[in-house]
Amino acid sequence: MKHIVILISGTGSNMAAIVRAAQQQHWAERLNARVAAVVSNRPGAKGLDFARQAGIATGVVDHQGFDSREAFDAALQAEIDRHDPGGRPALVVLAGFMRILTPGFVAHYAGRLVNIHPSLLPAFPGLHTHQRAIDEGCRLAGATVHQVTAELDHGQILAQAAVPVLPGDTAEALAARVLTQEHLIYPRAVAELLQKI
């Protein structure tokens, strides 16, 4: 059985979309895969409640308890790997996980670490993507599922979805429209990647 570990920092709406897809599409039977755990760097992350209610193991590695990014990433790696009998899950999925990961962590999960970013990469890596798209006069915005590399918001693009930027859009309105597409493309991209592993 292929194990997936999902990392979150907040409400975990993309995590919830993946969990629901895994249940509705019977990933256990069809893909020989399951969401084994949801791990957060914030003890109060609301997404942990959703995971527990879905019967999924949870874990917390609070980044505030570490003196360095390397020490935090080492503890996070240990927490992730304990949720797979082979010591390293098939996929580690970042779903609103708001930490920049060290090159050593990324290398440990090379080819098996994915993220979703709220822009049409390579445009607007980093933060404040929706406001930046509006400020630049873009007619389209969207989301990108990509492999994670040591370079922020780079890596092979696995899926994208576009939405129009409407006259008078606010960053919040655009973000909400993009999020509906994230919930569609992220589970699909994860399933397609699992078929190749």
Side-chain angles (χ1 to χ4, degrees), residues 86-185:
R88 195 180 321 184
L91 277 183
V92 177
V93 177
L94 308 181
F97 185 70
M98 302 304 290
R99 300 290 300 170
I100 295 174
L101 299 165
T102 58
F105 182 94
V106 172
H108 181 72
Y109 299 107
R112 294 177 293 141
L113 185 60
V114 295
N115 188 28
I116 191 161
H117 182 73
S119 80
L120 294 172
L121 291 174
F124 309 121
L127 300 174
H128 312 296
T129 58
H130 307 298
Q131 189 61 54
R132 288 161 63 198
I134 292 168
D135 292 345
E136 291 292 325
C138 294
R139 294 184 178 207
L140 291 174
T144 303
V145 180
H146 64 95
Q147 295 271 10
V148 176
T149 64
E151 190 173 355
L152 182 66
D153 296 329
H154 283 70
Q156 180 183 353
I157 292 173
L158 303 174
Q160 287 185 308
V163 302
V165 179
L166 302 176
D169 250 343
T170 63
E172 293 76 18
L174 181 56
R177 213 159 44 255
V178 169
L179 189 61
T180 63
Q181 294 302 308
E182 291 181 29
H183 293 167
L184 297 174
I185 66 169

Side-chain angles (χ1 to χ4, degrees), residues 32-114:
N32 190 35
R34 71 181 187 95
V35 177
V38 173
V39 178
S40 178
N41 64 308
R42 293 184 176 155
K46 293 193 182 295
L48 293 171
D49 294 333
F50 175 91
R52 290 182 192 112
Q53 290 170 5
I56 298 169
T58 61
V60 174
V61 182
D62 188 345
H63 65 276
Q64 294 183 344
F66 296 88
D67 293 333
S68 69
R69 287 175 51 208
E70 290 77 12
F72 167 72
D73 280 7
L76 180 62
Q77 180 178 311
E79 175 64 21
I80 292 167
D81 288 352
R82 80 177 185 86
H83 292 286
D84 186 84
R88 195 180 321 184
L91 277 183
V92 177
V93 177
L94 308 181
F97 185 70
M98 302 304 290
R99 300 290 300 170
I100 295 174
L101 299 165
T102 58
F105 182 94
V106 172
H108 181 72
Y109 299 107
R112 294 177 293 141
L113 185 60
V114 295

